[in-house]
Amino acid sequence: MPDLSYREAVRDAMSEAMRRDEDVFIMGEDIAEMGGSMGVTQGMLDEFGPERVRNCPISEMAIVGAGIGAAVAGMRPIVEIMYQDFTTLAMEQIVNQAAKHRYMSGGQIKVPLTIRTQGGAGWSPGAQHAQQLEAWFVHVPGLKVVFPSTPGDVRGLLWSSIYDDNPVIFFEHRLLYPLREDVPEKLEPIPLGKARIVREGEDVTVIATGPLVQRSLAAAVQAEEEGISVEILDPRTLQPLDEEALVASVKKTSRYVVAHEAVTRMGWGAEVAALVQEKAFDYLDAPVERVGAKFTPLPFAPVMEEFIIPHAKDVLAAVKRTVGKQ
C-alpha cells in the first residue's frame, strides 16, 4: 500500500482520471507552471500539456462559467478556485447556472463539473483567505458538497466527484495537505453520501468535518482517560448527507456533538443538530452540542486566530458537557 499525503492523493485522483479519460481536464489560476498555490498540480503540466492543464485569467466567474460550458458540452472539467473565499466572485455561475441547468432542462442537460477549492485557518492567512463556507453551498439544491479529511478519502471521493453528472463543490483544507497515510494501490471510488465511522464509541458521538476529525480524535483519547467512550463519525459528503448513519450513531450513544471549523452561527452543524432533534429526539439524553469558530472575521494575529477557531480542547469540553462532567 503506497504512502500518500493528502496533497499527493488529490493529484493522484486527477492524474489517473486524465490518463483514462480525455474528456477530463483541469483549469484555474497558476495551476500549470506554478503547480497551484498549494502545489497540488505540480508536474501535471509536464504530463498532460497546456491544453489539459489550463492557466486562466484572474476571474473566478469566467473560470467557473467556462467550466459549466465545457461540462454541458460533454466534458468533465475540474475547476480550481485558489481559495474558497473567492467562490464569492463566482456565486452567480455556481448557484444560478451550474446548480439549476439539470433541473430546468428536465434532466436533458448534465453538468459534470467539479469545483475544487481550499481554505481554512491555522496558518494566519487573515480574514479573506481562510473562511469555511460549506454552509452556503449545502443550502443550494442541485449542488453536491464534499469535504474529505484523509488522503484515502480525498482520493476516492474526488474520483467519484469527477464522474458524477452533477456539479460538485469539493472542499480541501490547507492544513490537511501534509497529512499522510497508507492508501490502497488501486484507486477505489468512494460513493458520495456515505459517512465513515472513524472511531467506535459508546457514550458520545462526535460528527466532525475536515481538520476537526483529527482534533476530535485527540479529544477522544483524552476523554477515554476520564472514562468517556467517544464515537467519531466523518460525514465526508455534506450534501447528500448520510442521515441513516448519523441517526444510527445517536441511537447507539444517546449524546451528540457536532464539530466544524466554520463559525457556529447558522453553520452546517446547526442543520445536523436539527436533524438529530427531528429524527432521534427520544434517544437523546442531553442537548446536542455544537463546536465551531467564534462569530468574527479571522484575525491575522496568530494568537487571536488560535482564540477564534476550535481545537481539541473545545471538542473535549463539549463531550464532557453532554455527560454532565463539566
Side-chain angles (χ1 to χ4, degrees):
M1 297 178 72
D3 174 65
L4 289 183
S5 70
Y6 190 100
R7 176 184 286 109
E8 291 165 343
V10 175
R11 184 188 305 135
D12 186 55
M14 292 191 294
S15 297
E16 187 62 24
M18 290 173 70
R19 291 182 194 115
R20 296 190 192 185
D21 189 345
E22 292 186 355
D23 288 335
V24 180
F25 70 98
I26 58 177
M27 56 193 296
E29 297 164 9
D30 293 330
I31 65 167
E33 291 85 358
M34 180 178 168
S37 62
M38 298 297 156
V40 174
T41 54
Q42 283 182 350
M44 295 185 71
L45 175 65
D46 294 336
E47 180 174 356
F48 300 106
E51 289 295 310
R52 299 183 69 198
V53 182
R54 303 182 70 93
N55 276 338
C56 295
I58 303 176
S59 174
E60 283 73 17
M61 179 174 281
I63 295 168
V64 174
I68 294 169
V72 168
M75 303 191 78
R76 293 189 176 273
I78 306 166
V79 165
E80 179 179 304
I81 302 298
M82 189 179 289
Y83 290 87
Q84 64 178 274
D85 312 68
F86 305 158
T87 58
T88 56
L89 299 165
M91 289 298 278
E92 198 282 330
Q93 292 292 321
I94 297 171
V95 174
N96 286 332
Q97 305 303 325
K100 303 296 190 290
H101 284 327
R102 194 166 191 185
Y103 174 80
M104 294 182 71
S105 70
Q108 296 178 79
I109 296 175
K110 298 176 181 178
V111 189
L113 170 67
T114 303
I115 301 174
R116 287 183 46 249
T117 188
Q118 65 83 35
W123 55 296
S124 300
Q128 295 174 330
H129 292 76
Q131 297 174 81
Q132 294 282 263
L133 304 176
E134 61 270 17
W136 292 11
F137 296 102
V138 296
H139 188 67
V140 179
L143 296 178
K144 295 187 177 183
V145 182
V146 182
F147 194 1
S149 66
T150 67
D153 282 352
V154 79
R155 190 171 70 148
L157 287 166
L158 182 53
W159 180 273
S160 295
S161 298
I162 293 168
Y163 284 98
D164 197 291
D165 286 334
N166 301 284
V168 179
I169 311 296
F170 197 91
F171 287 108
E172 300 158 19
H173 195 285
R174 197 259 189 232
L175 294 188
L176 293 177
Y177 283 132
L179 184 68
R180 306 190 70 89
E181 71 174 2
D182 291 336
V183 301
E185 185 74 39
K186 181 181 177 183
L187 195 157
E188 296 289 344
I190 297 173
L192 303 187
K194 292 294 183 182
R196 177 171 66 93
I197 295 178
V198 179
R199 186 183 197 272
E200 296 275 359
E202 301 294 332
D203 299 326
V204 186
T205 295
V206 177
I207 183 168
T209 62
L212 264 296
V213 173
Q214 283 74 31
R215 295 171 200 169
S216 296
L217 282 167
V221 171
Q222 297 177 63
E224 192 170 40
E225 295 174 358
E226 300 185 37
I228 306 169
S229 175
V230 178
E231 180 155 297
I232 298 174
L233 187 72
D234 182 352
R236 304 193 290 192
T237 305
L238 311 186
Q239 175 61 36
L241 179 63
D242 190 349
E243 296 182 11
E244 184 178 340
L246 185 153
V247 171
S249 187
V250 77
K251 287 181 177 180
K252 173 185 175 182
T253 66
S254 299
R255 295 176 176 83
Y256 230 80
V257 176
V258 187
H260 53 62
E261 190 179 283
V263 295
T264 308
R265 179 71 57 86
M266 301 295 179
W268 177 80
E271 173 64 21
V272 173
L275 183 68
V276 170
Q277 292 284 112
E278 177 186 347
K279 297 198 172 184
F281 179 78
D282 289 341
Y283 293 86
L284 286 173
D285 291 337
V288 178
E289 291 281 342
R290 290 188 291 156
V291 176
K294 296 175 174 62
F295 193 64
T296 178
L298 279 164
F300 274 115
V303 66
M304 288 300 296
E305 183 190 48
E306 286 291 294
F307 175 71
I308 296 302
I309 63 174
H311 302 279
K313 62 181 177 61
D314 300 302
V315 178
L316 179 62
V319 165
K320 292 169 73 172
R321 284 194 298 270
T322 67
V323 297
K325 288 195 174 183
Q326 192 176 76

